[in-house]
Amino acid sequence: MHSLIISIGSNTSDRWEQVNKALIWLGEFTISAKKSKIYHSKPEGNCAKKINYTYANAVYCALTALSQDEVESMLKKYEADNGRTPQMKLFGIVPIDLDLVFFDDRLLRPQEMMRDYFKRGYEEIFPETNS
């Protein structure tokens, strides 16, 4: 089994539903999940700040039998199947964003550890790391 931590976000009008739906979907191929509450965050990044849409976010930690490549492929397919397109990214519209941040305790996206939208959910799941 492999451990994973995923950052989840959406800034569309149905952002809470999008994040909740993704959390349920992630449960279909993982076990022993811990997840943060869904919470709002301010946009980060130049494009996102221009449109100033509030995000709904969550952090998800679990175990899976899938490889890192399989997980990443499934996350990208889920994003596309749920309305994410390259054109939307240019305008800062994010129906759903699923980023694999850790896999088997390897930090894949170090920039996420600096982002308030990720740190908030991560520290909820792992409060001991906040000392």
Side-chain angles (χ1 to χ4, degrees):
M1 294 301 278
H2 303 282
S3 62
L4 55 76
I5 299 177
I6 296 171
S7 176
I8 306 165
S10 173
N11 71 357
T12 54
S13 61
D14 62 344
R15 58 189 164 266
W16 284 85
E17 294 86 13
Q18 287 280 7
V19 171
N20 191 53
K21 191 169 91 170
L23 287 166
I24 292 167
W25 174 77
L26 288 167
E28 293 178 10
F29 63 92
T30 62
I31 61 169
S32 301
K34 293 181 183 180
K35 56 188 173 186
S36 72
K37 295 175 186 163
I38 300 173
Y39 51 91
H40 277 124
S41 70
K42 294 181 180 178
E44 294 187 27
N46 292 334
C47 193
K49 286 180 181 177
K50 285 180 190 173
I51 60 168
N52 201 28
Y53 290 163
T54 300
Y55 277 76
N57 299 92
V59 174
Y60 186 85
C61 172
L63 299 173
T64 185
L66 301 175
S67 71
Q68 180 180 334
D69 288 342
E70 289 170 317
V71 171
E72 289 174 334
S73 176
M74 289 177 67
L75 297 180
K76 293 305 166 206
K77 182 176 181 339
Y78 183 90
E79 289 175 343
D81 289 349
N82 286 275
R84 183 101 188 247
T85 66
Q87 294 79 14
M88 287 182 157
K89 187 175 182 176
L90 294 173
F91 296 105
I93 299 167
V94 182
I96 192 67
D97 184 35
L98 302 171
D99 292 325
L100 185 60
V101 179
F102 283 90
F103 193 84
D104 282 342
D105 298 323
R106 286 188 325 274
L107 179 58
L108 305 175
R109 298 177 62 93
Q111 70 275 19
E112 296 293 308
M113 295 302 292
M114 302 311 208
R115 306 278 188 171
D116 287 334
Y117 65 80
F118 179 76
K119 289 193 304 187
R120 183 172 167 189
Y122 183 83
E123 290 170 356
E124 181 184 328
I125 295 172
F126 302 104
E128 65 277 4
T129 61
N130 195 19
S131 1

